[in-house]
Amino acid sequence: MASTPLPIRHVCEEIHDTWGRLGHLVRALAKKNWAQRHQILQTYRAMYGEDLLIRLQLASQLKDSRSETFKLVFLWMLEPCDRDAFFVRDALEKGNTKALVEVYVDRKSSQLLLIKQAYLARFKRHMDHDIASEPPQPYQRILMALATSHKSHDKDVDMHIAKCDAKRVYEASEGRFGMLDESSMIEIFSKRSIPQLKRMLSCYNHIYGHDFTKSLKKKTTGEFEESLRTTIKCMYTPTKYYAKILHTCVKGCTSDRSALARVLMSRAEIDIEEIRDAFHAKYGVTLLYAIQQCTPTGEYRDFLLALATS
């Protein structure tokens, strides 16, 4: 029989009275949705005159074995746009292009605007300026094109435009000998909204019988082609994309140590169930089992498992 959730005030009392006992903190917060977490933050402040977020952040900065778990909980308790601002900053510091692609592809235009505002408020810097550089790298050209695509005034998806763009993309790739026509790709990605680009990719598949990413494999693979493939996979088949990211994490095949927690937090209240199904179908084991096998026993692993089943 499932246990009855504690009232918000009781959750706040438990957090306050058992502070430092991470097992209690994990059980109190890991399975809460954003509305509940927001209410906990407000109630905790009203009851104890203290900002729980600040307390968690300070604990995450301590030099002990518990800091990583406190950091995980701190990020989980942030507003999604604020959390994404931290993810972007971390990605820029580490040169992690995939984390940046995920934000620019998977967030709505209204969400991206809030992320940029949160980034400016947190770090006193403009996010787009930090991403851009001179001369721009291939992945940066794609990201800036996506930033422009979010400003598209065409809110409705147009099938005729999608078909025309699919043919233009074909001509810029498969219909062309040698290297991919980068300028044509950047132009299309700059002028169309993210939903319109998704429809274009769907039309491409329907017209030519395969995903556009397959044609990119046939080209001489350079940094631009690899960045474009990552972007398109995240955009067109997100559940498969995230399942693969998680698999590389649990297998230790990536230098991006934060990817496991980042993906689980980002997708926990969106499509984590579909990602779990895609993971199982592709790799033959459950995501929970894979996390258990790659992560040492403890509160950090318990939190990850809770996110994966949220």
Side-chain angles (χ1 to χ4, degrees):
M1 181 177 179
S3 59
T4 303
L6 288 174
I8 295 298
R9 287 185 63 85
H10 289 178
V11 173
C12 292
E13 289 172 357
E14 182 180 6
I15 294 170
H16 185 268
D17 295 344
T18 63
W19 185 258
R21 293 159 65 182
L22 281 174
H24 288 274
L25 195 64
V26 167
R27 287 192 292 273
L29 299 175
K31 302 293 287 186
K32 298 293 188 295
N33 60 36
W34 165 237
Q36 293 169 326
R37 300 195 304 274
H38 183 64
Q39 192 175 357
I40 288 169
L41 292 173
Q42 291 181 318
T43 304
Y44 192 93
R45 180 189 288 273
M47 291 175 65
Y48 301 107
E50 186 177 16
D51 191 326
L52 180 58
L53 277 176
I54 293 178
R55 194 174 187 188
L56 288 168
Q57 187 174 26
L58 290 174
S60 73
Q61 295 169 349
L62 298 174
K63 302 298 182 181
D64 63 28
S65 60
R66 305 179 302 165
S67 62
E68 284 298 311
T69 305
F70 274 117
K71 181 179 180 180
L72 196 65
V73 179
F74 164 70
L75 290 170
W76 179 237
M77 294 299 290
L78 289 172
E79 288 191 43
C81 63
D82 215 6
R83 184 194 311 136
D84 279 337
F86 272 94
F87 287 156
V88 169
R89 187 63 181 167
D90 183 69
L92 287 169
E93 290 176 349
K94 297 177 179 177
N96 183 0
T97 60
K98 288 185 178 180
L100 297 173
V101 166
E102 290 161 16
V103 169
Y104 275 83
V105 166
D106 274 338
R107 308 312 186 254
K108 297 178 181 179
S109 298
S110 58
Q111 293 172 323
L112 188 61
L113 178 61
L114 291 175
I115 294 166
K116 291 179 180 181
Q117 292 173 348
Y119 189 94
L120 180 61
R122 284 276 181 181
F123 307 112
K124 312 306 178 188
R125 301 175 65 88
H126 291 279
M127 194 169 91
D128 283 345
H129 291 174
D130 281 354
I131 288 174
S133 69
E134 294 295 339
Q137 299 298 312
Y139 85 90
Q140 291 167 316
R141 295 200 293 274
I142 294 172
L143 287 174
M144 298 317 297
L146 291 174
T148 304
S149 76
H150 276 283
K151 300 173 185 176
S152 172
H153 297 294
D154 299 324
K155 295 183 179 179
D156 297 326
V157 174
D158 189 301
M159 179 61 77
H160 175 70
I161 292 176
K163 290 180 179 178
C164 291
D165 284 346
K167 292 177 182 178
R168 283 191 64 196
V169 166
Y170 177 84
E171 291 168 359
S173 56
E174 293 188 75
R176 180 181 160 88
F177 293 104
M179 298 294 292
L180 180 74
D181 184 353
E182 293 185 20
S183 60
S184 293
M185 297 304 306
I186 291 296
E187 180 186 358
I188 293 172
F189 272 64
S190 299
K191 291 183 176 180
R192 307 297 184 224
S193 67
I194 299 296
Q196 184 69 45
L197 288 172
K198 290 180 179 180
R199 181 57 60 90
M200 178 272 289
L201 293 169
S202 178
C203 287
Y204 190 102
N205 193 335
H206 178 75
I207 294 170
Y208 300 108
H210 58 266
D211 291 345
F212 176 50
T213 53
K214 292 189 181 298
S215 70
L216 290 175
K217 284 185 177 180
K218 300 175 184 178
K219 294 291 176 182
T220 302
T221 302
E223 189 177 348
F224 182 85
E225 287 82 4
E226 284 298 321
S227 298
L228 190 59
R229 283 185 64 208
T230 297
T231 302
I232 291 172
K233 286 182 177 181
C234 185
M235 184 183 298
Y236 189 54
T237 54
T239 55
K240 292 181 180 179
Y241 167 86
Y242 284 113
K244 184 174 181 179
I245 292 291
L246 292 172
H247 186 255
T248 59
C249 291
V250 298
K251 287 297 183 181
C253 301
T254 177
S255 58
D256 182 10
R257 296 182 61 252
S258 61
L260 182 58
R262 183 187 75 241
V263 170
L264 292 177
M265 275 191 274
S266 296
R267 313 312 297 180
E269 297 177 274
I270 301 175
D271 56 0
I272 192 62
E273 184 175 355
E274 291 86 348
I275 293 170
R276 288 201 310 265
D277 291 342
F279 188 98
H280 192 195
K282 176 70 174 178
Y283 304 109
V285 297
T286 67
L287 177 59
L288 299 184
Y289 177 80
I291 293 173
Q292 289 173 332
Q293 293 301 301
C294 78
T295 312
T297 302
E299 291 85 359
Y300 188 88
R301 186 178 79 169
D302 292 343
F303 206 98
L304 293 178
L305 292 172
L307 295 177
T309 55
S310 58

